[in-house]
Amino acid sequence: MEGAGATVLVTVQRVYYPLLFVVGIPANLFTFYMICFRKCGMSDTAIIYLSCLAIMDTFYLVWVILVDLTLTFWLLQPFWNSNPWCSILGVLQYGSLYSSSWIVVVFTIERYLVLRSTAAKQHFSQAQVTKLTCVAIVLVSHVVSVPLGWINIVSPVNITVDGHNVTLPRCRYRDEAYSTYIVWITTFLSGGIPIVLVIIFNYLIGYHLCHASNLFTKEERRVMHGRSTRGMLRRTILLLGTVSVTFVVLSLPRFVTYCILRTKYNNENFNRNDYNIPINVAGDLANMLQNLNSTTNFLLYCMVSRCFRRELLQVATCKAKARALGSVLTHTTMRVFSVANHKALPSADPVTVVLTNLKLTE
């Protein structure tokens, strides 16, 4: 890559990462408020999963986007280029990344189990079980991230500043065999395995819904305001496909480039800031996509709900809370992700529709 192109890429990142932090933090905190304190048509278990996801995405934005990347592009000598922060920061970064990825995975698997089994629905619909699951995910994620502190070392590096050569300490990867092993394991735990599991279980959910026509009788279809089951299933599958494709598109490039960087180029002599090397350009672009994922999860899992959008409008216009009962789409598509134990609420209509057990209440 030519010098002008490298300058452009650096300039873009100098603007992109602070902007991502400024937008992402309020977005995640606002999402936490919406799903916890507004009537968005979600069960207690879904509220716990999604609020935990929003919190861990927020920590990821702090440790990775602000402390690491933003300071890298704006400061000559960030504080984490010294001990013990060189090691601690890696643990905190991957702890939050693991947590965010595996909350999505476990939530998706749980949705599939709830659809498949009544016993699983009764078990996973307990808020206490969900809380313990989320706590376990976060704790295990940070424990598994401890080895990431072993692959970094603070060493002096000669750099040019304002035309003068200076020697400054830099947090760099160790050129050791075990560093490569740890990186391989980390890369698959944070990217490869979650990507595969999300694709598999979203496919299974879609497959199950396609063959769930026997759940709906003619009378129940009439109750659902004349909307065809096939149409609702198409919308549901479209949602699931969107979630899977978005997750893969944003995560897979970094998974590939990270594997290449931390294996073939994992040595002290490799200059990660040399944009004449194509893999450095590809790696930075892949990182930008991956980091964007920490600000878009709430869109994928919440904004598909009409209840959420209605509550968003209520908040924006400072009006009272809207009624909790949502549209038919909310009771079908969104329930795949958000409802494990729906409690019927009174409405103006004489009937109540529930996806997993449709009943006509006179």
Side-chain angles (χ1 to χ4, degrees), residues 18 42 66 157 163 174 183 206 208 211 213 232 236-237 261 267 276 287 330:
M42 300 179 187
L66 177 63
V157 176
R174 296 178 187 266
V183 166
H208 176 75
H211 293 77
S213 297
M232 287 183 290
T236 301
I237 295 171
L261 281 168
N267 59 78
N276 291 312
N287 282 336
T330 301

Side-chain angles (χ1 to χ4, degrees), residues 23-91:
V23 173
I25 291 293
N28 286 329
L29 294 180
F30 179 72
T31 301
F32 179 82
Y33 162 75
M34 288 291 292
I35 62 181
C36 289
F37 301 104
R38 303 292 296 191
K39 296 179 180 180
C40 295
M42 300 179 187
S43 68
D44 292 340
T45 55
I47 289 174
I48 294 170
Y49 275 120
L50 296 180
S51 60
C52 186
L53 179 62
I55 291 173
M56 296 317 302
D57 280 343
T58 301
F59 277 113
Y60 181 85
L61 287 170
V62 171
W63 300 129
V64 177
I65 306 302
L66 177 63
V67 175
D68 188 352
L69 296 172
T70 299
L71 295 186
T72 295
F73 286 101
W74 284 94
L75 297 181
L76 175 63
Q77 186 67 8
F79 71 91
W80 44 261
N81 279 314
S82 60
N83 289 313
W85 287 106
C86 178
S87 299
I88 294 176
L89 188 60
V91 176

Side-chain angles (χ1 to χ4, degrees), residues 241-272:
T242 301
V243 171
S244 300
V245 171
T246 303
F247 184 80
V248 171
V249 167
L250 294 179
S251 303
L252 187 58
R254 183 181 183 275
F255 171 70
V256 174
T257 57
Y258 199 81
C259 285
I260 297 174
L261 281 168
R262 299 310 169 213
T263 52
K264 184 177 180 180
Y265 298 98
N266 191 38
N267 59 78
E268 293 183 353
N269 297 323
F270 178 71
N271 184 5
R272 183 65 177 83

Side-chain angles (χ1 to χ4, degrees), residues 33 158 170 228:
Y33 162 75
N158 295 323
R170 284 288 185 266
S228 68

